Amino acid sequence: MKAVLSSANALWRKAEREAYRALHAKSKQHKADHFFNFCVTAHSLRDFFFEQRNIPRGTVRDPYYAQWNAEPLLVAVEEIANLSKHFQLRDRKNWQPRQLQTRRVVHKPGTDVDVYVSPTGAIRTIPRPSRDIVITTSDGARHWLWEFQIDILDYWRTFLRNNGIRVYRQSVKEMLDRAPGA
């Protein structure tokens, strides 16, 4: 059987789509669903990187883990993805429960702005209530959902490029799930 997503590039584009879905979700539940999916996908980029670069299991991977574990955004992605899946995070060496480093993930009321441009070029903005998620990472920094996701995507695009894997952006049509010819 062939994998549905067969490269780090394809998985990165999936993370980009999940980020878009999370940002535009209307309800608290759907926003949480897509945010969780984003985190699982972004965290899975580690495994795709190892497979695509043929990096074997064992201590040869330790420098990569050390680099990723030093980045509070990636630690938050890992903890959000794995905590929802395993209910309790554990130390890999002694299997004891481990303390979370990510300080908070909370839903907050927010405001979106609809932007309208008239035929003459006049711009009109109309604010409307929305939902947002704020993530407080281990270093105490607060990240609103959109900036958190963009920073994660930028990190992975740069990391992959610096390690010989090109990430190609998808078209707006692909991002928005527009059928061909639509």
Side-chain angles (χ1 to χ4, degrees):
M1 181 163 79
K2 188 175 179 182
V4 174
L5 297 168
S6 58
S7 69
N9 185 47
L11 191 67
W12 186 90
R13 288 193 311 260
K14 179 188 182 310
E16 188 179 40
R17 291 188 301 274
E18 288 298 344
Y20 177 85
R21 291 176 186 131
L23 178 69
H24 292 283
K26 304 284 187 240
S27 71
K28 183 177 179 178
Q29 181 179 13
H30 282 251
K31 191 167 285 285
D33 288 351
H34 292 303
F35 177 57
F36 169 70
N37 289 342
F38 170 82
C39 289
V40 169
T41 302
H43 184 58
S44 296
L45 279 161
R46 295 173 177 212
D47 293 330
F48 273 69
F49 167 72
F50 287 142
E51 286 300 314
Q52 196 162 335
R53 299 298 295 155
N54 294 314
I55 298 172
R57 292 188 182 276
T59 57
V60 71
R61 293 184 178 187
D62 288 349
Y64 297 105
Y65 287 125
Q67 178 182 349
W68 297 330
N69 291 337
E71 174 52 60
L73 292 168
L74 295 183
V75 170
V77 161
E78 175 189 14
E79 290 181 345
I80 292 163
N82 286 329
L83 187 60
S84 296
K85 194 167 63 173
H86 300 294
F87 306 107
Q88 172 70 57
L89 298 183
R90 298 185 178 276
D91 185 289
R92 290 177 187 245
K93 293 178 179 124
N94 61 21
W95 209 242
Q96 294 298 310
R98 72 173 169 93
Q99 185 70 31
L100 295 178
Q101 296 179 53
T102 304
R103 296 185 184 180
R104 283 183 77 175
V105 177
V106 296
H107 283 266
K108 292 207 174 239
T111 303
D112 284 342
V113 178
D114 294 323
V115 179
Y116 297 93
V117 180
S118 73
T120 63
I123 297 174
R124 181 174 168 215
T125 60
I126 300 175
R128 63 178 164 79
S130 66
R131 300 294 310 169
D132 210 337
I133 296 175
V134 179
I135 302 95
T136 306
T137 51
S138 59
D139 59 356
R142 289 178 43 156
H143 307 270
W144 292 92
L145 176 64
W146 182 245
E147 70 178 338
F148 178 83
Q149 293 178 132
I150 290 299
D151 288 348
I152 294 292
L153 289 167
D154 286 348
Y155 174 91
W156 277 113
R157 185 174 49 243
T158 301
F159 175 86
L160 293 168
R161 183 181 59 235
N162 290 343
N163 284 277
I165 300 173
R166 285 276 312 176
V167 172
Y168 298 97
R169 305 292 306 256
Q170 58 200 322
S171 70
V172 172
K173 201 178 266 192
E174 290 171 314
M175 172 73 88
L176 302 179
D177 196 22
R178 301 280 194 258

